[in-house]
Amino acid sequence: MMNSAVLAERSRAEWEAAGYRVLKPHIVARITGGVLHTMHFTYTRRDSHVWWSAVPLAQPDLSLNRGAPGTCGRVPSADAPLAQPPLSDEQLGAAIAQALRDDVMVTLDGLCDLGALCDRMDTKASVIAHFVRAFACLQDGRFENGREHLRAFLSDARLAPQQGLTVLDAERRTAAALLEATDDAQRALVAEQCAANVKRLRLGSLLR
């Protein structure tokens, strides 16, 4: 019987050859150049797809489910889901495997270092991209570039409170504190954050 884990298994030849390992039955991942790549396989009767993301390993509150605009997405796109029916399980598995080869893996292979990750992030689409990009720069040792993006994040008008709610409050506090830190302090924080993310998300197997 098809489910998300079985859907992932049907593409094993594709993702295993590219160095991905199983984190959960329906999630595979790898770490390359300080960047965490993930692919989530989702199977439902109405919408079967793969969600992919590339994020810097040092990003605070790192999640396997999120990414910044430009460095995450889904295949097929939301307006072209692979539905069940009319596809059979065999047809669906083949379609997902082809989408991985032709789209997802090509995109992720172009995001194998922190510099490429920074270049791909779309700061116009979302304010959080400034914050994520800052951590990619800091992780890469480009501390002044990181500060530039932290300043851009804090000064972005989209952070204005909305209906009495403070937007991205934790990220704002983190950014403000980092702007006051020395290069050495930022370097230490990045190392601590990477180690904490690896432990919390059980990513150790991806570093071997």
Side-chain angles (χ1 to χ4, degrees):
M1 181 177 180
M2 181 70 90
N3 56 37
S4 296
V6 172
L7 186 61
E9 185 64 26
R10 294 200 176 201
S11 298
R12 176 178 284 272
E14 283 74 19
W15 51 256
E16 194 170 56
Y20 289 83
R21 297 191 181 192
V22 176
L23 283 185
K24 296 183 179 181
H26 65 295
I27 301 175
V28 301
R30 69 180 181 182
I31 294 174
T32 176
V35 181
L36 173 65
H37 293 168
T38 59
M39 292 189 289
H40 296 235
F41 294 79
T42 298
Y43 171 88
T44 71
R45 284 290 177 179
R46 293 189 176 182
D47 180 17
S48 297
H49 64 274
V50 176
W51 173 264
W52 62 268
S53 69
V55 293
L57 193 56
Q59 181 180 332
D61 195 28
L62 186 67
S63 170
L64 298 177
N65 300 308
R66 294 196 302 271
T71 59
C72 65
R74 54 163 283 167
V75 172
S77 62
D79 58 355
L82 281 176
Q84 269 282 64
L87 293 181
S88 67
D89 288 351
E90 290 72 20
Q91 290 171 322
L92 175 63
I96 289 291
Q98 182 175 350
L100 291 187
R101 290 192 301 268
D102 297 346
D103 190 338
V104 177
M105 300 180 96
V106 174
T107 301
L108 288 172
D109 283 348
L111 298 172
C112 284
D113 63 74
L114 293 161
L117 189 70
C118 283
D119 292 342
R120 182 71 183 262
M121 287 184 201
D122 187 353
T123 55
K124 293 182 180 180
S126 172
V127 64
I128 195 63
H130 278 303
F131 184 77
V132 178
R133 195 170 183 179
F135 270 86
C137 289
L138 296 177
Q139 186 180 331
D140 206 24
R142 294 181 284 125
F143 299 108
E144 193 51 47
N145 291 133
R147 292 186 182 96
E148 290 175 6
H149 287 294
L150 291 172
R151 294 187 191 100
F153 171 68
L154 290 171
S155 63
D156 197 302
R158 290 171 291 185
L159 282 181
Q162 299 176 7
Q163 297 180 344
L165 299 176
T166 303
V167 180
L168 298 175
D169 192 39
E171 287 82 359
R172 293 174 71 174
R173 291 196 302 269
T174 298
L178 274 172
L179 278 175
E180 302 298 322
T182 64
D183 288 1
D184 286 343
Q186 289 182 351
R187 185 179 292 109
L189 184 144
V190 164
E192 291 173 4
Q193 190 62 58
C194 287
N197 286 335
V198 168
K199 181 178 180 180
R200 178 173 56 85
L201 297 175
R202 300 179 179 179
L203 303 177
S205 64
L206 306 183
L207 297 173
R208 296 169 191 164

